[in-house]
Amino acid sequence: AQTIHQWPVAEIKAVGSPLSLGCTIKGKSSPNLYWYWQATGGTLQQLFYSITVGQVESVVQLNLSASRPKDDQFILSTEKLLLSHSGFYLCAWSLAQYEQYFGPGTRLTVL
Amino acid sequence: QQKVQQSPESLTVSEGAMASLNCTFSDGTSNNFRWYRQHSAKGLEVLVSIFSDGEKEEGRFTAHLNRANLHVSLHIREPQPSDSAVYLCAVSMTGNYKYVFGAGTRLKVIA
């Protein structure tokens, strides 16, 4: 059974439109959660991490925000998309600081 | 700020020959090193984690860490065409939830 789900699988959005990407973790209690972004052909960059519900730390500022409304849910959002937001978004979880396990990703195209 | 560089950018090896990938990092206090692989913009698969100088083997994958030389390597024994992917090095520090990834090495294994 898949532990980590990301939605949507892919999204095509217009510049200036809002965005919400989601990630849920099943079967793990109090995981650490992470958001990463990868431009096409680019390096994977960590955006946010969360150790506990309601607390999110920013690592890189890309005019995005993240929230953790539940222990098993991590949301990435923005009110206004930029062309530069296009890319591949990955959610990951870990227990303490052991291996990170990644979701299947969301492909975002901003036109 | 931590910098992680991987070499070579791309590598082609014959099936069954050893493949060796390199990763250098700039922060000598780092103590968490992981190798992942990524098939065609999909999620990442963790291969091996290493936390102290020396060698760590996970199946056909062996990581070597030399913190004094700021270097960690990955050796793939008897690579198969299915091992063709992008291999990523990730560096972090215990107690710090920030992970820095290298740009990756694209490995192609030919039959």
Side-chain angles (χ1 to χ4, degrees), chain A residues 32 34 36 38 42-44 46 49 51 58-59 88 90 94 96-104 107, chain B residues 32 34 36 38 41-44 46 48-49 51 88 92-103:
Chain A
N32 299 327
Y34 311 84
Y36 288 85
Q38 186 177 36
T43 301
L44 196 63
Q46 186 178 355
Y49 68 90
I51 301 170
S58 173
V59 178
F88 194 54
L90 286 163
S94 71
Q97 281 194 290
Y98 297 109
E99 284 82 1
Q100 289 185 323
Y101 295 92
F102 286 78
R107 168 74 55 194
Chain B
N32 259 276
R34 296 192 172 96
Y36 295 86
Q38 184 178 31
K42 295 183 180 175
L44 275 64
V46 62
V48 60
S49 301
F51 309 107
L88 300 172
S92 66
M93 190 163 50
T94 300
N96 182 330
Y97 294 88
K98 298 180 182 179
Y99 294 77
V100 181
F101 280 74

Side-chain angles (χ1 to χ4, degrees), chain B residues 65-84:
Chain B
L65 174 62
N66 184 326
R67 289 174 60 188
N69 288 343
L70 304 176
H71 182 260
V72 58
S73 60
L74 178 69
H75 303 274
I76 306 173
R77 180 168 43 87
E78 298 178 359
Q80 307 296 314
S82 58
D83 291 322
S84 297

Side-chain angles (χ1 to χ4, degrees), chain A residues 29-104:
Chain A
S29 179
S30 303
N32 299 327
L33 299 177
Y34 311 84
W35 275 113
Y36 288 85
W37 170 73
Q38 186 177 36
T40 301
T43 301
L44 196 63
Q45 275 190 285
Q46 186 178 355
L47 301 176
F48 299 94
Y49 68 90
S50 172
I51 301 170
T52 189
V53 174
Q55 289 188 6
V56 176
E57 300 294 331
S58 173
V59 178
V60 172
Q61 279 295 331
L62 286 181
N63 292 309
L64 295 166
S65 61
S67 63
R68 186 171 178 177
K70 302 178 184 177
D71 186 53
D72 62 355
Q73 193 173 78
F74 208 18
I75 306 295
L76 184 70
S77 61
T78 182
E79 293 187 0
K80 286 188 177 181
L81 278 166
L82 307 173
L83 283 174
S84 57
H85 286 137
S86 291
F88 194 54
Y89 289 83
L90 286 163
C91 178
W93 67 271
S94 71
L95 295 178
Q97 281 194 290
Y98 297 109
E99 284 82 1
Q100 289 185 323
Y101 295 92
F102 286 78

